[in-house]
Amino acid sequence: MLALKRIRYEKSERVILRNMTIEFEDGKIYAMLGNNGVGKSTLAGIIMGLENYREHTGELYLDDISLKDLGVFERAKLGITLALQEPVRFEGITIDEYLNLGGKLRLSQDEIAEALKLVGLSKEYLGRYVDSTLSGGERKRVELASIVLIKPKIVILDEPDSGIDIMSNEMIKAVVGKLKKAGSTVIMITHREEIAMMADEAYLMCGGRLLASGTPQEIVAFYKKLCDSCDHINKPESEKIRGGEAK
Amino acid sequence: MIESNYQREFEKIAEYYEKSGGDASRFLRRDIVSIIVSGDKVIGRNTVEGVELKAKGLENGVEIWLEVKDGIQVENPIHLCTGYLKPEGTQLVLIHTKLGKAAKANFLSHCVFPNGKEFTHRMISDIELSESAKMSYEDVHFHSKDGGVTVEAIYNAHLGEKSVFRNTFHLTKTRVGKLKVEMKVNLDKEAVAEIESKVYEKQDDYVEIIEELNLNGERSSGIAKSVVFATDSSKARIINRAYGNAPYARGHIECKEIVKGGNVNVGTIPELYVKDEKAELTHEASIGRMNVKQLETLMAKGLTENEAIELIVKGMLK
Ligand SMILES: Nc1ncnc2c1ncn2[C@@H]1O[C@H](COP(=O)(O)OP(=O)(O)OP(=O)(O)O)[C@@H](O)[C@H]1O
Ligand SMILES: [Mg+2]
């Protein structure tokens, strides 16, 4: 289980995450919902231990291992990985090399081709570079293929659907299905209802806090009803909100 | 073809030639223009119709003349290999290259100095492209591990009307030692140049690069680019310079220095000079550590920091 306890994170004198306590059980699919700017990507960065997000208070545990002093690589070794909302580009690295991690993964051409196929890219892409010549959606697809190939224990997909045409929801479902089958815990940050509905559980964030948790159906309904008419965007006052803070 | 009494020497050079990424069997082919220099001797050479190749020994090296006649398009890359196997000494290599009208040739040059402890290599290459000629020249270096190699590589190119020239210098697989690269290109009307240097520095390597575009002809255009990855206590000085001397001349210079380690010392100076109001020059320069997001992306997939750096740098220096 991945557990975050009372995470508080400030940046430029703004509180971004204020008292974030949240748990993710092994092998489950989670949907993280919430308006723009509520702190979803921040939470992802904190779980992965990215440099920009190291200065926070509160605790993070994977089972009984404290992650607090572990760097990105050490966390990856424990099986945690992250697909960024806006994946970076690499000059001079082909998709083939990228998926194979420069040879470290020792994948066969068949395995790579299969992962590409899963994300809807043909074999012709193998020799293309992971640089600015890929379209935004293609770059996202490459990232998803890469995640599938590294077989993570816990993966955060930060908006796997952004930049991907809506016709390709099925592709994302196939990727998440494949991860689930392999036993991964998947934390999907998403703004798309259809994607959220795949989850076993959903969380709603607001103003750097966890606002509610439940089935995706419940949370989506709750979100639509309350957040759409909310006049205190990102400044939740828990007494105003029925359903209250989870956990 | 290899001179029979230099067979052993050729084999030794071939070994390092292959380590630097070359295919030594090309030097044995009759359909490929090639020349191999070891120390102050030409130990092998071959040419094809339409390509004139002459060489003579100098006190400390060799002088080579290579001319591709008008209209000749050399199909296979012309292979040059300059080796020096002894640990000490100096080597001077003078190369005069000329491409006739509408001639076309690609060059692949490897310099292997695998044992240099106190060795200096000086190469001066003058290049003359006639109207509409096309030439690419790729220079790959392989140096010894202990940093005892000093290399000075000077290229002076004159590009005739509508000719196209691409020059790349790569020293990314081994220690550098001390390196000075100077590439100066003079462009006539509508000529196009692309010059590039890529260097990976380790320990106390020292690199000096000067790239210069003289855009003298109307509508001539050029790009001069340097990429240096400086680690440990290495030092780099880079000057990219462009002169826009004619209407509609367009030039772009670019310098990227990536640093790793607290003891590096790197600097870059972009210089742009315009003498014609219709010329247009741009530059891009950056010095900084490796892109953290790139590193973290790869580390989040299970690469160590060093593995991630290697992969990123390999891509950038490719
Ligand atoms: N360097 C910074 N300085 C100040 N504020 C920052 C900084 N970085 C992020 N923020 C703020 O932190 C808040 C949370 O950002 P985050 O990226 O986590 O949001 P998000 O929930 O992922 O939003 P989205 O749905 O738009 O991706 C935002 O209001 C953002 O403006
Ligand atoms: Mg976000």
Side-chain angles (χ1 to χ4, degrees), chain A residues 6-241:
Chain A
R6 294 179 311 278
I7 300 287
R8 185 184 171 87
Y9 172 78
E10 295 174 20
K11 187 97 194 186
S12 319
E13 290 170 21
R14 272 192 63 202
V15 187
I16 314 282
L17 293 183
R18 48 195 80 223
N19 189 13
M20 190 75 191
T21 295
I22 191 166
E23 289 177 352
F24 302 97
E25 285 171 42
D26 291 349
K28 275 197 178 177
I29 311 292
Y30 291 88
M32 302 290 304
L33 304 177
N35 287 342
N36 293 135
V38 296
K40 304 179 297 298
S41 296
T42 303
L43 184 73
I46 285 176
I47 295 173
M48 195 67 240
L50 303 182
E51 190 178 286
N52 249 323
Y53 302 99
R54 292 305 290 269
E55 303 212 337
H56 61 81
T57 55
E59 308 291 322
L60 272 103
Y61 285 94
L62 178 62
D63 300 324
D64 44 14
I65 305 166
S66 168
L67 301 179
K68 228 181 149 181
D69 297 321
L70 304 184
V72 177
F73 168 67
E74 282 90 8
R75 295 185 199 203
K77 258 200 336 200
L78 294 172
I80 304 173
T81 195
L82 164 65
L84 290 175
Q85 184 170 348
E86 283 168 31
V88 275
R89 315 279 178 151
F90 295 85
E91 234 181 277
I93 300 180
T94 63
I95 291 182
D96 191 16
E97 287 170 307
Y98 186 71
L99 295 180
N100 237 319
L101 295 180
K104 190 167 181 172
L105 284 187
R106 296 177 195 287
L107 298 167
S108 70
Q109 287 297 303
D110 284 350
E111 283 170 287
I112 290 184
E114 196 190 321
L116 275 183
K117 196 172 157 202
L118 184 73
V119 299
L121 296 178
S122 68
K123 271 198 247 170
E124 275 73 65
Y125 279 84
L126 282 174
R128 292 275 304 269
Y129 290 105
V130 192
D131 61 10
S132 52
T133 60
L134 286 183
S135 77
E138 286 167 341
R139 178 68 189 88
K140 292 284 267 202
R141 286 168 194 260
V142 168
E143 208 52 26
L144 289 174
S146 165
I147 296 291
V148 166
L149 288 166
I150 56 178
K151 303 192 174 77
K153 185 174 151 68
I154 298 174
V155 55
I156 310 151
L157 303 177
D158 195 349
E159 300 195 16
D161 43 50
S162 72
I164 303 270
D165 53 83
I166 52 171
M167 303 306 283
S168 297
N169 279 350
E170 290 308 315
M171 179 277 290
I172 292 168
K173 287 185 192 169
V175 167
V176 175
K178 175 122 185 161
L179 289 165
K180 186 182 167 111
K181 221 170 125 198
S184 305
T185 306
V186 183
I187 304 167
M188 302 184 288
I189 298 169
T190 183
H191 294 295
R192 278 196 203 167
E193 190 172 336
E194 194 181 337
I195 301 293
M197 288 303 171
M198 297 179 61
D200 300 310
E201 264 195 65
Y203 289 133
L204 179 61
M205 282 180 70
C206 182
R209 276 192 245 219
L210 183 61
L211 197 61
S213 70
T215 64
Q217 288 78 8
E218 284 167 355
I219 294 301
V220 167
F222 180 89
Y223 183 11
K224 280 187 177 168
K225 193 161 151 227
L226 281 151
C227 298
D228 277 4
S229 57
C230 169
D231 58 1
H232 52 265
I233 286 179
N234 293 346
K235 294 180 203 71
E237 291 162 52
S238 45
E239 63 277 9
K240 279 191 188 167
I241 293 158

Side-chain angles (χ1 to χ4, degrees), chain B residues 38-50:
Chain B
S38 176
D40 54 5
K41 301 180 298 279
V42 172
I43 64 169
R45 80 171 92 169
N46 183 56
T47 192
V48 299
E49 215 185 305

Side-chain angles (χ1 to χ4, degrees), chain B residues 21-55:
Chain B
D23 173 2
S25 70
R26 305 266 166 91
F27 287 100
L28 306 172
R29 277 174 51 177
R30 290 218 171 271
D31 59 339
I32 291 182
V33 180
S34 66
I35 181 154
I36 311 174
V37 174
S38 176
D40 54 5
K41 301 180 298 279
V42 172
I43 64 169
R45 80 171 92 169
N46 183 56
T47 192
V48 299
E49 215 185 305
V51 182
E52 198 179 330
L53 177 61
K54 282 192 294 191

